[in-house]
Amino acid sequence: DAKTTQPPSMDCAEGRAANLPCNHSTISGNEYVYWYRQIHSQGPQYIIHGLKNNETNEMASLIITEDRKSSTLILPHATLRDTAVYYCIVRVGTTSGTYKYIFGTGTRLKVLA
Amino acid sequence: DTEVTQTPKHLVMGMTNKKSLKCEQHMGHRAMYWYKQKAKKPPELMFVYSYEKLSINESVPSRFSPECPNSSLLNLHLHALQPEDSALYLCASSQERREGLSEQFFGPGTRLTVL
């Protein structure tokens, strides 16, 4: 299974962009990259996903390198409420016909006032 | 309705007890998941159900017994647990591969403490 590696923690000033990196060097061609965040041991919350192209939604942008071996999640204007653990996940298809979502170790982002 | 609900929110049980965790979704998702999450660790996949059949068992001890009574419900039956099984248990659902692309929706979790 593809695996992801993430820095354990990052700080970001409020109002600035938060750039969270992820390495997934063993990813296969049809495996998607997902990002989720988890606040205070609540259930993880979906942020964004992508395959090859860069993606943007109302929450964040996802930049995927051309070789797909790494990606960066960008929160354009971080707020205190963005303080959370951010997980980079690779979605893997299985022989049983379903998906497995392989979680990385997560980055604990702290947004500072 | 894009919500996954889990009951109970908190559960304390002894090592000889039998208890069950419940998960429910009404998004028409045909894949449902159980994860276990220890403190300061990422969620670890335990089981996956696809179209109400067990699709993946990540070598979980038999003291955890999953059940999918219908397409909206997922249970996790607990028996003779150990203190190290104390964790946050998360349920999730998503569309199945043949149905297209969808993200995984998580419930709020059940905080389990085994005494």
Side-chain angles (χ1 to χ4, degrees), chain A residues 11-37:
Chain A
D11 290 341
C12 176
E14 189 177 21
R16 304 297 293 268
N19 297 285
L20 292 91
C22 177
N23 287 323
H24 33 78
S25 58
T26 61
I27 197 169
S28 296
N30 59 351
E31 293 171 348
Y32 279 76
V33 176
Y34 281 71
W35 283 84
Y36 279 70
R37 71 182 183 185

PDB file of all heavy atoms in Angstrom, chain A residues 11-37:
ATOM      1  N   ASP A  11       3.635  25.583  12.828  1.00  0.00           N
ATOM      2  CA  ASP A  11       2.949  26.761  13.310  1.00  0.00           C
ATOM      3  C   ASP A  11       2.704  27.696  12.141  1.00  0.00           C
ATOM      4  O   ASP A  11       3.466  27.721  11.169  1.00  0.00           O
ATOM      5  CB  ASP A  11       3.799  27.501  14.357  1.00  0.00           C
ATOM      6  CG  ASP A  11       3.908  26.742  15.663  1.00  0.00           C
ATOM      7  OD1 ASP A  11       3.077  25.847  15.907  1.00  0.00           O
ATOM      8  OD2 ASP A  11       4.843  27.034  16.429  1.00  0.00           O
ATOM      9  N   CYS A  12       1.630  28.488  12.257  1.00  0.00           N
ATOM     10  CA  CYS A  12       1.310  29.453  11.218  1.00  0.00           C
ATOM     11  C   CYS A  12       0.667  30.660  11.880  1.00  0.00           C
ATOM     12  O   CYS A  12      -0.175  30.509  12.778  1.00  0.00           O
ATOM     13  CB  CYS A  12       0.349  28.826  10.203  1.00  0.00           C
ATOM     14  SG  CYS A  12      -0.214  29.953   8.920  1.00  0.00           S
ATOM     15  N   ALA A  13       1.043  31.858  11.437  1.00  0.00           N
ATOM     16  CA  ALA A  13       0.429  33.069  11.965  1.00  0.00           C
ATOM     17  C   ALA A  13      -0.968  33.240  11.390  1.00  0.00           C
ATOM     18  O   ALA A  13      -1.215  32.953  10.203  1.00  0.00           O
ATOM     19  CB  ALA A  13       1.292  34.279  11.625  1.00  0.00           C
ATOM     20  N   GLU A  14      -1.855  33.700  12.226  1.00  0.00           N
ATOM     21  CA  GLU A  14      -3.239  33.940  11.788  1.00  0.00           C
ATOM     22  C   GLU A  14      -3.260  34.913  10.611  1.00  0.00           C
ATOM     23  O   GLU A  14      -2.552  35.922  10.609  1.00  0.00           O
ATOM     24  CB  GLU A  14      -4.048  34.506  12.953  1.00  0.00           C
ATOM     25  CG  GLU A  14      -5.543  34.597  12.686  1.00  0.00           C
ATOM     26  CD  GLU A  14      -6.316  35.094  13.882  1.00  0.00           C
ATOM     27  OE1 GLU A  14      -5.707  35.728  14.770  1.00  0.00           O
ATOM     28  OE2 GLU A  14      -7.541  34.858  13.941  1.00  0.00           O
ATOM     29  N   GLY A  15      -4.062  34.578   9.597  1.00  0.00           N
ATOM     30  CA  GLY A  15      -4.170  35.422   8.411  1.00  0.00           C
ATOM     31  C   GLY A  15      -3.173  35.094   7.319  1.00  0.00           C
ATOM     32  O   GLY A  15      -3.341  35.527   6.169  1.00  0.00           O
ATOM     33  N   ARG A  16      -2.155  34.323   7.660  1.00  0.00           N
ATOM     34  CA  ARG A  16      -1.173  33.927   6.654  1.00  0.00           C
ATOM     35  C   ARG A  16      -1.571  32.588   6.051  1.00  0.00           C
ATOM     36  O   ARG A  16      -2.420  31.864   6.569  1.00  0.00           O
ATOM     37  CB  ARG A  16       0.219  33.821   7.294  1.00  0.00           C
ATOM     38  CG  ARG A  16       0.692  35.065   8.000  1.00  0.00           C
ATOM     39  CD  ARG A  16       0.852  36.237   7.030  1.00  0.00           C
ATOM     40  NE  ARG A  16       1.930  36.023   6.063  1.00  0.00           N
ATOM     41  CZ  ARG A  16       3.183  36.435   6.260  1.00  0.00           C
ATOM     42  NH1 ARG A  16       3.529  37.032   7.381  1.00  0.00           N
ATOM     43  NH2 ARG A  16       4.090  36.237   5.328  1.00  0.00           N
ATOM     44  N   ALA A  17      -0.913  32.260   4.936  1.00  0.00           N
ATOM     45  CA  ALA A  17      -1.168  30.965   4.306  1.00  0.00           C
ATOM     46  C   ALA A  17      -0.435  29.862   5.062  1.00  0.00           C
ATOM     47  O   ALA A  17       0.714  30.021   5.451  1.00  0.00           O
ATOM     48  CB  ALA A  17      -0.716  30.999   2.857  1.00  0.00           C
ATOM     49  N   ALA A  18      -1.134  28.757   5.248  1.00  0.00           N
ATOM     50  CA  ALA A  18      -0.515  27.571   5.843  1.00  0.00           C
ATOM     51  C   ALA A  18      -0.269  26.568   4.726  1.00  0.00           C
ATOM     52  O   ALA A  18      -1.191  26.224   3.987  1.00  0.00           O
ATOM     53  CB  ALA A  18      -1.416  26.973   6.908  1.00  0.00           C
ATOM     54  N   ASN A  19       0.991  26.141   4.597  1.00  0.00           N
ATOM     55  CA  ASN A  19       1.369  25.183   3.560  1.00  0.00           C
ATOM     56  C   ASN A  19       1.804  23.882   4.227  1.00  0.00           C
ATOM     57  O   ASN A  19       2.840  23.827   4.884  1.00  0.00           O
ATOM     58  CB  ASN A  19       2.522  25.731   2.711  1.00  0.00           C
ATOM     59  CG  ASN A  19       2.129  26.987   1.956  1.00  0.00           C
ATOM     60  OD1 ASN A  19       1.406  26.940   0.974  1.00  0.00           O
ATOM     61  ND2 ASN A  19       2.594  28.125   2.453  1.00  0.00           N
ATOM     62  N   LEU A  20       0.996  22.844   4.038  1.00  0.00           N
ATOM     63  CA  LEU A  20       1.274  21.569   4.689  1.00  0.00           C
ATOM     64  C   LEU A  20       1.737  20.562   3.651  1.00  0.00           C
ATOM     65  O   LEU A  20       0.981  20.191   2.756  1.00  0.00           O
ATOM     66  CB  LEU A  20       0.025  21.051   5.415  1.00  0.00           C
ATOM     67  CG  LEU A  20      -0.430  21.867   6.627  1.00  0.00           C
ATOM     68  CD1 LEU A  20      -1.422  22.941   6.242  1.00  0.00           C
ATOM     69  CD2 LEU A  20      -1.005  20.955   7.684  1.00  0.00           C
ATOM     70  N   PRO A  21       2.985  20.070   3.783  1.00  0.00           N
ATOM     71  CA  PRO A  21       3.510  19.139   2.782  1.00  0.00           C
ATOM     72  C   PRO A  21       3.210  17.681   3.113  1.00  0.00           C
ATOM     73  O   PRO A  21       2.971  17.312   4.268  1.00  0.00           O
ATOM     74  CB  PRO A  21       5.017  19.391   2.862  1.00  0.00           C
ATOM     75  CG  PRO A  21       5.243  19.752   4.298  1.00  0.00           C
ATOM     76  CD  PRO A  21       3.997  20.469   4.769  1.00  0.00           C
ATOM     77  N   CYS A  22       3.252  16.869   2.065  1.00  0.00           N
ATOM     78  CA  CYS A  22       3.049  15.427   2.221  1.00  0.00           C
ATOM     79  C   CYS A  22       3.850  14.710   1.148  1.00  0.00           C
ATOM     80  O   CYS A  22       3.792  15.091  -0.025  1.00  0.00           O
ATOM     81  CB  CYS A  22       1.569  15.086   2.098  1.00  0.00           C
ATOM     82  SG  CYS A  22       1.195  13.323   2.196  1.00  0.00           S
ATOM     83  N   ASN A  23       4.573  13.694   1.546  1.00  0.00           N
ATOM     84  CA  ASN A  23       5.274  12.841   0.591  1.00  0.00           C
ATOM     85  C   ASN A  23       4.541  11.530   0.423  1.00  0.00           C
ATOM     86  O   ASN A  23       4.147  10.895   1.417  1.00  0.00           O
ATOM     87  CB  ASN A  23       6.709  12.564   1.060  1.00  0.00           C
ATOM     88  CG  ASN A  23       7.596  13.768   0.914  1.00  0.00           C
ATOM     89  OD1 ASN A  23       7.461  14.524  -0.049  1.00  0.00           O
ATOM     90  ND2 ASN A  23       8.482  13.990   1.852  1.00  0.00           N
ATOM     91  N   HIS A  24       4.327  11.133  -0.812  1.00  0.00           N
ATOM     92  CA  HIS A  24       3.679   9.845  -1.117  1.00  0.00           C
ATOM     93  C   HIS A  24       4.387   9.248  -2.313  1.00  0.00           C
ATOM     94  O   HIS A  24       3.792   9.061  -3.382  1.00  0.00           O
ATOM     95  CB  HIS A  24       2.168  10.000  -1.338  1.00  0.00           C
ATOM     96  CG  HIS A  24       1.757  11.299  -1.951  1.00  0.00           C
ATOM     97  ND1 HIS A  24       1.878  11.592  -3.283  1.00  0.00           N
ATOM     98  CD2 HIS A  24       1.207  12.398  -1.360  1.00  0.00           C
ATOM     99  CE1 HIS A  24       1.422  12.809  -3.515  1.00  0.00           C
ATOM    100  NE2 HIS A  24       1.004  13.329  -2.372  1.00  0.00           N
ATOM    101  N   SER A  25       5.661   8.925  -2.131  1.00  0.00           N
ATOM    102  CA  SER A  25       6.517   8.543  -3.250  1.00  0.00           C
ATOM    103  C   SER A  25       6.150   7.202  -3.864  1.00  0.00           C
ATOM    104  O   SER A  25       6.548   6.917  -4.993  1.00  0.00           O
ATOM    105  CB  SER A  25       7.980   8.527  -2.790  1.00  0.00           C
ATOM    106  OG  SER A  25       8.139   7.645  -1.706  1.00  0.00           O
ATOM    107  N   THR A  26       5.392   6.357  -3.145  1.00  0.00           N
ATOM    108  CA  THR A  26       5.039   5.028  -3.677  1.00  0.00           C
ATOM    109  C   THR A  26       3.628   4.993  -4.245  1.00  0.00           C
ATOM    110  O   THR A  26       3.094   3.915  -4.522  1.00  0.00           O
ATOM    111  CB  THR A  26       5.190   3.961  -2.583  1.00  0.00           C
ATOM    112  OG1 THR A  26       4.304   4.273  -1.504  1.00  0.00           O
ATOM    113  CG2 THR A  26       6.617   3.891  -2.074  1.00  0.00           C
ATOM    114  N   ILE A  27       3.036   6.151  -4.447  1.00  0.00           N
ATOM    115  CA  ILE A  27       1.651   6.195  -4.921  1.00  0.00           C
ATOM    116  C   ILE A  27       1.550   5.616  -6.326  1.00  0.00           C
ATOM    117  O   ILE A  27       2.455   5.775  -7.149  1.00  0.00           O
ATOM    118  CB  ILE A  27       1.123   7.641  -4.862  1.00  0.00           C
ATOM    119  CG1 ILE A  27      -0.395   7.663  -4.953  1.00  0.00           C
ATOM    120  CG2 ILE A  27       1.767   8.495  -5.953  1.00  0.00           C
ATOM    121  CD1 ILE A  27      -0.997   9.021  -4.649  1.00  0.00           C
ATOM    122  N   SER A  28       0.449   4.914  -6.602  1.00  0.00           N
ATOM    123  CA  SER A  28       0.215   4.370  -7.936  1.00  0.00           C
ATOM    124  C   SER A  28      -0.620   5.338  -8.760  1.00  0.00           C
ATOM    125  O   SER A  28      -1.240   6.244  -8.226  1.00  0.00           O
ATOM    126  CB  SER A  28      -0.498   3.016  -7.835  1.00  0.00           C
ATOM    127  OG  SER A  28       0.315   2.081  -7.181  1.00  0.00           O
ATOM    128  N   GLY A  29      -0.656   5.070 -10.070  1.00  0.00           N
ATOM    129  CA  GLY A  29      -1.242   6.033 -10.989  1.00  0.00           C
ATOM    130  C   GLY A  29      -2.711   6.336 -10.775  1.00  0.00           C
ATOM    131  O   GLY A  29      -3.169   7.425 -11.109  1.00  0.00           O
ATOM    132  N   ASN A  30      -3.464   5.392 -10.240  1.00  0.00           N
ATOM    133  CA  ASN A  30      -4.900   5.611 -10.088  1.00  0.00           C
ATOM    134  C   ASN A  30      -5.304   5.856  -8.637  1.00  0.00           C
ATOM    135  O   ASN A  30      -6.492   5.773  -8.294  1.00  0.00           O
ATOM    136  CB  ASN A  30      -5.671   4.408 -10.636  1.00  0.00           C
ATOM    137  CG  ASN A  30      -5.294   3.123  -9.916  1.00  0.00           C
ATOM    138  OD1 ASN A  30      -4.357   3.100  -9.128  1.00  0.00           O
ATOM    139  ND2 ASN A  30      -6.031   2.061 -10.166  1.00  0.00           N
ATOM    140  N   GLU A  31      -4.355   6.133  -7.792  1.00  0.00           N
ATOM    141  CA  GLU A  31      -4.639   6.357  -6.376  1.00  0.00           C
ATOM    142  C   GLU A  31      -4.737   7.846  -6.081  1.00  0.00           C
ATOM    143  O   GLU A  31      -3.836   8.616  -6.389  1.00  0.00           O
ATOM    144  CB  GLU A  31      -3.561   5.698  -5.509  1.00  0.00           C
ATOM    145  CG  GLU A  31      -3.600   4.175  -5.603  1.00  0.00           C
ATOM    146  CD  GLU A  31      -2.424   3.502  -4.927  1.00  0.00           C
ATOM    147  OE1 GLU A  31      -1.447   4.201  -4.580  1.00  0.00           O
ATOM    148  OE2 GLU A  31      -2.490   2.271  -4.752  1.00  0.00           O
ATOM    149  N   TYR A  32      -5.855   8.215  -5.479  1.00  0.00           N
ATOM    150  CA  TYR A  32      -6.121   9.596  -5.166  1.00  0.00           C
ATOM    151  C   TYR A  32      -5.449   9.998  -3.854  1.00  0.00           C
ATOM    152  O   TYR A  32      -5.293   9.182  -2.937  1.00  0.00           O
ATOM    153  CB  TYR A  32      -7.624   9.837  -5.029  1.00  0.00           C
ATOM    154  CG  TYR A  32      -8.340  10.023  -6.342  1.00  0.00           C
ATOM    155  CD1 TYR A  32      -8.630   8.934  -7.163  1.00  0.00           C
ATOM    156  CD2 TYR A  32      -8.757  11.286  -6.750  1.00  0.00           C
ATOM    157  CE1 TYR A  32      -9.298   9.113  -8.362  1.00  0.00           C
ATOM    158  CE2 TYR A  32      -9.431  11.470  -7.945  1.00  0.00           C
ATOM    159  CZ  TYR A  32      -9.696  10.380  -8.739  1.00  0.00           C
ATOM    160  OH  TYR A  32     -10.359  10.551  -9.921  1.00  0.00           O
ATOM    161  N   VAL A  33      -5.138  11.281  -3.765  1.00  0.00           N
ATOM    162  CA  VAL A  33      -4.670  11.880  -2.512  1.00  0.00           C
ATOM    163  C   VAL A  33      -5.830  12.644  -1.888  1.00  0.00           C
ATOM    164  O   VAL A  33      -6.481  13.456  -2.549  1.00  0.00           O
ATOM    165  CB  VAL A  33      -3.486  12.847  -2.754  1.00  0.00           C
ATOM    166  CG1 VAL A  33      -3.080  13.520  -1.441  1.00  0.00           C
ATOM    167  CG2 VAL A  33      -2.312  12.103  -3.368  1.00  0.00           C
ATOM    168  N   TYR A  34      -6.099  12.373  -0.635  1.00  0.00           N
ATOM    169  CA  TYR A  34      -7.136  13.060   0.126  1.00  0.00           C
ATOM    170  C   TYR A  34      -6.492  13.780   1.304  1.00  0.00           C
ATOM    171  O   TYR A  34      -5.490  13.326   1.863  1.00  0.00           O
ATOM    172  CB  TYR A  34      -8.158  12.061   0.689  1.00  0.00           C
ATOM    173  CG  TYR A  34      -9.189  11.564  -0.290  1.00  0.00           C
ATOM    174  CD1 TYR A  34      -8.850  10.688  -1.317  1.00  0.00           C
ATOM    175  CD2 TYR A  34     -10.521  11.964  -0.175  1.00  0.00           C
ATOM    176  CE1 TYR A  34      -9.811  10.237  -2.204  1.00  0.00           C
ATOM    177  CE2 TYR A  34     -11.484  11.512  -1.055  1.00  0.00           C
ATOM    178  CZ  TYR A  34     -11.123  10.651  -2.067  1.00  0.00           C
ATOM    179  OH  TYR A  34     -12.079  10.209  -2.955  1.00  0.00           O
ATOM    180  N   TRP A  35      -7.113  14.869   1.700  1.00  0.00           N
ATOM    181  CA  TRP A  35      -6.731  15.558   2.925  1.00  0.00           C
ATOM    182  C   TRP A  35      -7.950  15.678   3.823  1.00  0.00           C
ATOM    183  O   TRP A  35      -9.029  16.072   3.379  1.00  0.00           O
ATOM    184  CB  TRP A  35      -6.174  16.948   2.628  1.00  0.00           C
ATOM    185  CG  TRP A  35      -4.771  16.934   2.114  1.00  0.00           C
ATOM    186  CD1 TRP A  35      -4.362  16.737   0.830  1.00  0.00           C
ATOM    187  CD2 TRP A  35      -3.588  17.144   2.873  1.00  0.00           C
ATOM    188  NE1 TRP A  35      -2.991  16.805   0.742  1.00  0.00           N
ATOM    189  CE2 TRP A  35      -2.488  17.062   1.982  1.00  0.00           C
ATOM    190  CE3 TRP A  35      -3.322  17.411   4.224  1.00  0.00           C
ATOM    191  CZ2 TRP A  35      -1.168  17.224   2.394  1.00  0.00           C
ATOM    192  CZ3 TRP A  35      -2.013  17.576   4.636  1.00  0.00           C
ATOM    193  CH2 TRP A  35      -0.945  17.488   3.732  1.00  0.00           C
ATOM    194  N   TYR A  36      -7.720  15.351   5.086  1.00  0.00           N
ATOM    195  CA  TYR A  36      -8.732  15.491   6.118  1.00  0.00           C
ATOM    196  C   TYR A  36      -8.107  16.228   7.297  1.00  0.00           C
ATOM    197  O   TYR A  36      -6.882  16.257   7.448  1.00  0.00           O
ATOM    198  CB  TYR A  36      -9.216  14.128   6.627  1.00  0.00           C
ATOM    199  CG  TYR A  36     -10.245  13.451   5.761  1.00  0.00           C
ATOM    200  CD1 TYR A  36      -9.914  12.934   4.515  1.00  0.00           C
ATOM    201  CD2 TYR A  36     -11.567  13.332   6.202  1.00  0.00           C
ATOM    202  CE1 TYR A  36     -10.866  12.315   3.725  1.00  0.00           C
ATOM    203  CE2 TYR A  36     -12.526  12.710   5.421  1.00  0.00           C
ATOM    204  CZ  TYR A  36     -12.167  12.205   4.192  1.00  0.00           C
ATOM    205  OH  TYR A  36     -13.115  11.600   3.410  1.00  0.00           O
ATOM    206  N   ARG A  37      -8.937  16.802   8.144  1.00  0.00           N
ATOM    207  CA  ARG A  37      -8.426  17.346   9.393  1.00  0.00           C
ATOM    208  C   ARG A  37      -9.293  16.864  10.549  1.00  0.00           C
ATOM    209  O   ARG A  37     -10.457  16.524  10.358  1.00  0.00           O
ATOM    210  CB  ARG A  37      -8.377  18.869   9.359  1.00  0.00           C
ATOM    211  CG  ARG A  37      -9.720  19.577   9.401  1.00  0.00           C
ATOM    212  CD  ARG A  37      -9.493  21.076   9.310  1.00  0.00           C
ATOM    213  NE  ARG A  37     -10.735  21.833   9.414  1.00  0.00           N
ATOM    214  CZ  ARG A  37     -10.802  23.151   9.273  1.00  0.00           C
ATOM    215  NH1 ARG A  37      -9.698  23.861   9.010  1.00  0.00           N
ATOM    216  NH2 ARG A  37     -11.953  23.785   9.391  1.00  0.00           N
TER     217      ARG A  37
END
